[in-house]
Amino acid sequence: MMHVLIPIDKEFKYLECKKLYEQNKVFVNDDATFDEVINNTLFYSFYENEKLTLCVYFFEKNGKLWVNGFGKRKHHLFNKECFKLALTWFNTDIWAFCPHRPAAFGLLSCGFKKYKKNLYRFKNKCNT
C-alpha cells in the first residue's frame, strides 16, 4: 500500500528522509542541504507498508519544472510506480539532469526522453 507524506504533515518522518538523503547525496546531483531541499521544493516522501522507499522533489529553475529524487535500493518497481504517479501531478513538461546511468534508465522507463547529454525531458501530455 502506497502512502505519501509532505513536510507539513504531522506524520512526516524528517529524520528518516534526511538519513536517506545523506546516504544518497553522491547520486542526488544537488548541492543543497536537506533542509534547503524540503524548504524550497515540492517534496514528497513515499512509503510502502509504512517503510520509506522514495523521496521526490520538484522545483522551478530558469522557467522550467525540474525533478530530483532518491530512494532505497531493491524497491525498483514500487518506486517506479510512485515516481510515475508524481509526474501526473503537474501539467507542464518536467526536466531532469541525470549523469548516473542507473537513474537515467529509470527516467527513460518512466517516459522521459533524452534531450542532451545527461539532460532528460518528460513531455507532459496535458501541456499543449
Side-chain angles (χ1 to χ4, degrees):
M1 179 178 190
M2 181 189 304
H3 188 70
V4 183
L5 294 175
I6 61 174
I8 61 171
D9 290 327
K10 280 196 293 188
E11 304 88 18
F12 182 70
K13 299 176 181 172
Y14 172 88
L15 291 176
E16 197 173 346
C17 292
K18 182 177 181 178
K19 181 179 178 183
L20 188 59
Y21 180 78
E22 296 299 331
Q23 290 170 343
N24 288 279
K25 184 73 170 154
V26 69
F27 303 111
V28 174
N29 306 317
D30 200 329
D31 294 332
T33 67
F34 180 70
D35 286 334
E36 289 171 332
V37 168
I38 65 168
N39 290 325
N40 299 309
T41 69
L42 299 172
F43 187 92
Y44 304 93
S45 55
F46 293 85
Y47 299 82
E48 181 178 26
N49 300 322
E50 303 302 318
K51 293 184 181 183
L52 177 66
T53 65
L54 179 70
C55 294
V56 176
Y57 56 99
F58 297 87
F59 56 96
E60 188 273 330
K61 182 178 176 183
N62 299 326
K64 295 178 181 172
L65 183 64
W66 293 82
V67 65
N68 207 344
F70 49 95
K72 286 190 177 177
R73 298 179 61 88
K74 301 185 188 221
H75 294 271
H76 175 75
L77 293 178
F78 182 77
N79 287 349
K80 180 179 173 181
E81 180 183 332
C82 295
F83 187 67
K84 287 174 85 171
L85 175 65
L87 295 174
T88 68
W89 297 338
F90 301 92
N91 63 0
T92 187
D93 292 351
I94 302 171
W95 295 82
F97 176 77
C98 185
H100 303 289
R101 194 176 199 122
F105 286 133
L107 290 174
L108 294 170
S109 74
C110 289
F112 280 77
K113 302 287 184 210
K114 189 170 189 168
Y115 188 77
K116 290 182 183 175
K117 182 180 181 185
N118 300 331
L119 187 61
Y120 299 83
R121 179 171 82 178
F122 179 80
K123 193 130 176 84
N124 196 312
K125 292 173 180 60
C126 297
N127 186 23
T128 56

